[in-house]
Amino acid sequence: MALSFNPYAFILIFFGMATCILSGFIYKRGGNAFKWFILMMLSNAIWSIPYGLELASTSLKQIKFFICLEYIGIGTLPICWFIFCLNFCGKEAWLEKRRNVILLVAFPIITLLMVWTNAYHHLHYKQIVIGTTGPFPIANTEPGVWYFIFTLYFYSLLTFGCYLIFIKFKNADPIFQKQNYAIVIAILIPWLTNFTFLLGFKPLGEIDGTPYAFMVTTSLILLGIYRFKLFDILPIAREKVLELMQDGFFVLDQQHRIIDYNKSTLKYIHLPTGKKLNGSNLEELFPNQHTFFDRIKKHESGKIELDIILNGNHIYLIADILFLNDNKINNDFSIIKLQDLTTFKKDAIKAAEQANELNRLNQLKDRIFSIIAHDLRAPLVNISEILKMVGNNQITIDEFKAIAPNFNKDIIYTTELLENILHWSRSQLIGFGIKKEPFNLKNLIINEINYHLPAANFKKVKINYGSFPAEMVYADIIMVQMVIRNLISNGIKYCHQNCEIDIQTSYLKHNQLLIMIKDNGIGISQPIFEKLFKDENISTRGTLNEKGTGLGLLICKDFMERNNGSIHVESTEGKGTICSLLLPTHKEKVN
């Protein structure tokens, strides 16, 4: 084999071998997509080395032999390029169809057969002759029909691949754009060189400049590896990993604008229709989070809790702030990681509520046991002792009549206390249902007045009531009855003889009915008034030394709230007390 090396041949052979070595180096760093990039580089090496040997050949037979070897690289190069583009852009599913694969590999195989058997049909090259006008012998070829068919196939794959890369580049995150620039520029140089050669622009004469252009591509790939960390992180893999993460990620520039994010972040923001997330200011998406943004502006890394409202729902997040400064690309940016703590937070709140409820029930149990042990036991013991003395004839009828009023007070007190305890403890049970229904308030109040008339007549207290609205109350009738009963009982207990209790009702707007129970008794002292409704067992004696249960107003407040109502107390010591109740009404009217 006679070879006469020249600078053109030497350069092609040298860089072809260098491309093989570089391919092995990249193979250790790249992913699946870049393995096809490696095969594309090897195809170029298979093209370049035989082409260099062709330029060093002096006989036509030897030139034709190396042309046959060159087409192993020329035929496989567009396939490797196209499959690389598919993998790089996440379109590898196209290769799952057998028809597409067959169509893709058919043209290179046919082209190789056409080149290797060209002497019998001349469909690829009409003729190949040696040109001697240059400084060294070189092949002059005349294209045949199949040459143009293969060229169309070659540039079709090139065009589709470039289109995919362009779309990928257009939608790429800024942090990967330098990698994409390197890939696009590196790939376009040899294609443009080959295209201009086919159009007749031949600065090197009949020497094809495409393999030399691939030398430039190799240099740019090397630059990309060492300057922009090309192939260190495959963008496709990076995107898939981030999209699989449940936590949200934002990448911000120096002006706190979003330059990158993953789909999980969309769960925590409200993005107006038509507005792009990239380029938006993070502060617009998370309003009223002043502490969070103060830390970002002060470059304070760390974690901070965020409480946001999205579509009417509370979302609890933990934001992890990280600041990066990469001197290689002269860029200062921050990463915000958002972790959803809503479920954990709600479970914690629920657990705290359950703990509070358990504590409240324990306090209720202790209070009930305390009342039973002291307030309820004492009068029952007194009643038992008196009845025992009567049964044993230890007291006379006159003596019994003398203690009868106190005996009666103990029975009334014990009855009221038992009634309050039973109703209140029953209402505190989990699962206790409130039976709301429309009822006539007039009948209820008149019945309660009649119930308290003996006690009122005994103290010569007058109970007045005015007209009643036609509206019906919508609530639990037993609970409302207990509230009215306790308030009238308190009015009588804290009134002197000849005092009055006035009961007035009126209809207000928004379907509410106002009940006012006013007395001109002794009122409530300021220290006691400040303790009302504070879950304290407060009990004071009446004007005739009547005992109190200490549960009345607490029961009233609890029952009113359970029926979507409210209670308000005003009192002046020495002048009297006004208790105001608000209850929801039913729309039906009394006939």
Side-chain angles (χ1 to χ4, degrees), residues 367 524-540 550-551 553-554 557 569:
R367 180 177 296 173
I524 306 172
S525 64
Q526 189 63 28
I528 298 298
F529 186 82
E530 292 176 354
K531 295 180 181 180
L532 295 181
F533 309 122
K534 297 291 179 62
D535 288 338
E536 294 187 40
N537 193 8
I538 304 169
S539 177
T540 56
L551 296 175
L553 287 180
L554 287 178
K557 179 177 181 292
V569 176

Side-chain angles (χ1 to χ4, degrees), residues 449-465:
I449 291 173
N450 292 333
Y451 176 82
H452 287 90
L453 274 180
N457 291 334
F458 179 79
K459 293 186 72 172
K460 296 181 182 180
V461 174
K462 185 178 181 180
I463 302 177
N464 306 313
Y465 62 90

Side-chain angles (χ1 to χ4, degrees), residues 25-26 29-31 34 88 175-183 220-235 238 326-329:
F25 177 73
I26 296 177
R29 302 168 65 92
F34 291 105
F88 183 76
I175 195 171
F176 293 111
Q177 284 186 356
K178 289 183 173 61
Q179 290 192 10
N180 292 338
Y181 273 125
I183 294 173
L220 287 175
I221 296 298
L222 281 172
L223 176 65
I225 290 173
Y226 289 105
R227 179 64 177 85
F228 301 127
K229 305 299 180 183
L230 188 62
F231 306 143
D232 272 9
I233 302 175
L234 177 62
R238 167 259 173 209
D326 189 346
N327 293 325
K328 292 183 179 180
I329 58 176

Side-chain angles (χ1 to χ4, degrees), residues 47 71 74 125 141 143 147-148 150-152 154-155 158 190-203 205-210:
W47 180 4
Y71 263 87
I74 295 173
Y125 290 121
T141 60
Y147 180 91
F148 293 106
F150 177 72
T151 301
L152 179 62
F154 189 99
Y155 280 98
L158 168 64
W191 300 141
L192 292 175
T193 303
N194 183 260
F195 186 68
T196 56
F197 179 79
L198 293 176
L199 292 179
F201 180 72
K202 302 177 180 180
E206 293 299 322
I207 299 176
D208 188 354
T210 306

